[in-house]
Amino acid sequence: MRETRLRFPPSPTGYLHIGGARTALYNWLYARQTGGKLILRIEDTDTGRSTEESIQGIIEGLEWLGIDYDEGPYFQTDFEQDHLAAARKLLEKGAAYKCFCSKEELEAKREAALAAKKPLGYDRTCRNLSPTEITEKEAAGIPSVLRFKVPERSGNLGYDDKILGRIESNYSEIDDFVIVRSNGKPLYLLCNVVDDIRDRITHIIRGQDHMTNTLKQVLLYEALEVPLPVFAHMPLTLDTKKAKISKRSHGEIVAVQFYRDSGFIPWAFNNFLALLGWSAGNDQEFYSKEELIKEFSLERINKSSAIFNYKKNDPKFFTDPKAIFINEHYLRTMDIAELGELVKNELKKEDLWHDGYDADKKDRYLQTVDLIRDRFHTLKDFTSLGRAYFADDFAIDEKPLAKNVLKFPELQKWLPELADRYEKLAEFSLEETERVARELSDELAIKPGIIINAMRTVVTGQLAGPSMFDILVTIGRERVVQRLRDVGKLFA
RNA sequence: GUCCCCAUCGUCUAGUCAGGUCCAGGACAUCGGCCUUUCACGCCGACAACACCGGUUCGAAUCCGGUUGGGGACGCCA
């Protein structure tokens, strides 16, 4: 069987957004499953809008996701000669023709057609110009574009889509589309096909927004006398108002970079993306990389578009709840050493990392991460909500401060007393710390909860958290004692 | 306007190709409850959908037709 070759061809006119990432992911999954190759091709023929920054963003986004490619990045502009050679071939064999209509004329015609509610396509004014007319216009210096000459045939043109089935349309519906600009630069429809042919692409997995392009490109393949690759048009990702998601209208929430910067685990995000438009036909929703590569199939990609369900202005659900849920799942269940590495990056960014965490204090470090991960949503939480576990300059949340501390002024005596007892303890263990805390509350004839919750607030700054005595042992005697003694500061 | 695609809970979806086992299953979210000295996890429960109208059939979420709705495309962008 011939090698499968797939490609991801973004145009570098903005960051990598989740729709693009999902397209890349599906191509990657299929390539990996079939032992084929994935090619990254930057389609930068729109020189006005392509930027270096965008190229970097796309490459970094793919890297973060872990979507690796076997060839590239290739740059479409590097192959301009190939594109033009193909255009010449088409012109010579009569499959293309020069069009001298000006942009202004075409624009006027389009507007008129729109107003009259008529079809918007090109009216083929220049399709049957005589050689003399062409020579005259050229002599007069009138610029021209090259248009593809859609064959004059009755009946339908079509192809078999791996996801949607047979797609057909009448030849008369296809426009004579432009393949070379008046400035001599080739255009997408042509470049894309020429590159796919040169790169020996066997499967084209792309969004349904390309469906009309595909019809035209099928004609190009035919004119270039090359067999068709397999086409698979994925459903689009829409917003909650069912509009196509885009950088322009949705901002950072749809950028892959946003998820990296928000503390998502790369594979968790891939897992989420994979399920947005595909399912194995069962109830499984967590897949390891290997499982997903094995289970993925083009045939089981949904036909209908999926909605990216993010809620604006909700701090807890700042993006699609399912994405957060899947991230939480990985946060809680993934290998602790692996998670330790991810958290390490976060700590470093906040200047909270100590090299000892990788050496003599490694066990303690991983134990800490393991203790607190259950309540977190993203990697960011380790340095925000979990700051007290790694530093002394953490903030005390106002709510527990009022509820658990300020409400009981006597704590200014009780907690330092507890600190004294903890300091003298022979063994600073789970059992001992709990025994002493309960003993003290007994003596004071108060509920243990008062001491425990006050301690939680003073030691971690948080209203909620793991079992209190686990926290004490994990944070360590020295820090605990100090924080308990400093309780008076909070009343100042 | 023309062409193409799509249509199951709020969202992601299973079931549709091979009609009955589906008065439609799972997950997220939401709301209760249990657990917990806190919170989360976990567990239990509740809410909630076959767009509509015809047809075929003993029987339709499933097949056919139409309607409606949604999306996409219609560029000297990609």
Side-chain angles (χ1 to χ4, degrees), chain A residues 15-65:
Chain A
Y15 48 52
L16 180 63
H17 68 77
I18 55 174
R22 190 176 62 137
T23 304
L25 175 65
Y26 284 16
N27 275 282
W28 178 81
L29 286 169
Y30 193 74
R32 292 291 166 264
Q33 179 179 76
T34 54
K37 298 276 194 288
L38 179 66
I39 290 125
L40 175 63
R41 183 170 67 227
I42 307 292
E43 304 214 322
D44 56 350
T45 50
D46 186 345
T47 49
R49 293 197 302 152
S50 298
T51 66
E52 184 59 36
E53 190 190 0
S54 172
I55 294 171
Q56 277 318 309
I58 289 165
I59 290 174
E60 282 168 19
L62 292 175
E63 189 181 350
W64 178 73
L65 286 165

Side-chain angles (χ1 to χ4, degrees), chain A residues 208-228:
Chain A
Q208 287 181 5
D209 50 343
H210 280 281
M211 282 179 34
T212 44
N213 288 334
T214 302
L215 254 2
K216 293 172 179 171
Q217 293 186 320
V218 164
L219 256 17
L220 245 19
Y221 275 95
E222 181 192 290
L224 260 11
E225 296 161 49
V226 175
L228 243 39

Side-chain angles (χ1 to χ4, degrees), chain A residues 108-126:
Chain A
K109 281 180 186 174
R110 191 172 300 125
E111 303 236 329
L114 204 57
K117 302 200 169 185
K118 290 273 171 52
L120 303 175
Y122 178 59
D123 63 3
R124 301 188 168 181
T125 301
C126 300

Side-chain angles (χ1 to χ4, degrees), chain A residues 36 50 67 76 80 99 118 144-145 185 226 242 262 264 305 314 321 358 363 374 379 395 402 457:
Chain A
S50 298
I67 296 176
Q76 193 158 57
E80 192 177 310
C99 168
K118 290 273 171 52
S144 65
V145 300
K185 299 289 184 188
V226 175
K242 296 191 172 170
S262 298
F264 273 74
S305 40
D314 186 333
D358 246 350
D363 286 349
D374 277 359
L379 261 14
T457 308

Side-chain angles (χ1 to χ4, degrees), chain A residues 276-293:
Chain A
L276 204 59
W278 173 86
S279 90
N282 53 35
D283 293 334
Q284 184 172 351
E285 50 188 351
F286 302 114
Y287 289 86
S288 69
K289 194 177 288 192
E290 294 69 27
E291 282 176 318
L292 193 58
I293 288 170

Side-chain angles (χ1 to χ4, degrees), chain A residues 142-206:
Chain A
I142 302 174
S144 65
V145 300
L146 208 57
R147 280 186 189 274
F148 182 80
K149 193 176 200 168
V150 174
E152 199 95 50
R153 292 178 192 151
S154 59
N156 286 346
L157 157 75
Y159 60 94
D160 293 302
D161 190 285
K162 265 290 199 196
I163 296 168
L164 300 169
R166 181 75 187 169
I167 303 296
E168 286 188 338
S169 192
N170 195 282
Y171 278 93
S172 62
E173 299 294 338
I174 317 291
D175 242 5
D176 281 355
F177 52 94
V178 179
I179 53 177
V180 179
R181 292 177 166 102
S182 56
N183 67 2
K185 299 289 184 188
L187 247 13
Y188 169 75
L189 254 6
L190 208 224
C191 299
N192 190 249
V193 166
V194 169
D195 290 341
D196 283 341
I197 291 170
R198 188 193 54 254
D199 291 334
R200 309 193 316 281
I201 300 302
T202 59
H203 294 69
I204 295 179
I205 304 172
R206 62 194 341 185

